[in-house]
Amino acid sequence: IGEQARNNPSFYGTLVRGVNSLLQQGGFGISPASHRSVMENLRGVSQGTMSQSTAHFRESQTFARDALASYSQGRFIQGEMERFGATINLIGGIGMSAIEGARRLIGQ
């Protein structure tokens, strides 16, 4: 993920790179579905085919699904990390939506 973020630069990629580093330091992994989603998001945002808000909302959805799966398997610490990721990305998506909407209104 870190390499993909470096190869597909964007503000979103900078955030992903930082979070990925923290997850690695903490010994946390992400599911294959979340990994795929993040990789697609990095490419889409960098290429301009996906908005940053969409990338955050997609991550929120995959992390929420992962959290439910982790909780159902009794992996509560992993589930809490994924729930936190879902929440932070939901907040990021809302914030980026507001910024993107303001930019459209003022024509930038």
Side-chain angles (χ1 to χ4, degrees):
I1 289 176
E3 184 177 335
Q4 178 83 335
R6 279 189 298 282
N7 292 336
N8 292 278
S10 66
F11 177 67
Y12 171 77
T14 300
L15 296 174
V16 167
R17 203 167 51 243
V19 170
N20 185 60
S21 177
L22 289 173
L23 290 174
Q24 287 180 332
Q25 290 173 12
F28 291 101
I30 63 173
S31 73
S34 285
H35 184 270
R36 254 188 324 277
S37 177
V38 170
M39 297 294 271
E40 291 168 6
N41 295 347
L42 286 165
R43 195 172 19 260
V45 170
S46 178
Q47 294 173 354
T49 58
M50 180 185 297
S51 70
Q52 292 187 75
S53 60
T54 297
H56 284 293
F57 288 136
R58 284 177 49 133
E59 277 194 53
S60 182
Q61 289 175 330
T62 58
F63 282 127
R65 281 193 290 267
D66 291 347
L68 291 173
S70 291
Y71 291 140
S72 72
Q73 297 165 4
R75 298 178 7 218
F76 297 108
I77 293 173
Q78 180 72 24
E80 283 297 295
M81 184 278 300
E82 292 158 344
R83 183 182 63 80
F84 181 72
T87 303
I88 289 298
N89 276 288
L90 179 60
I91 292 166
I94 292 168
M96 286 309 301
S97 285
I99 292 168
E100 292 161 358
R103 286 182 178 161
R104 280 191 299 274
L105 284 174
I106 59 174
Q108 291 186 348

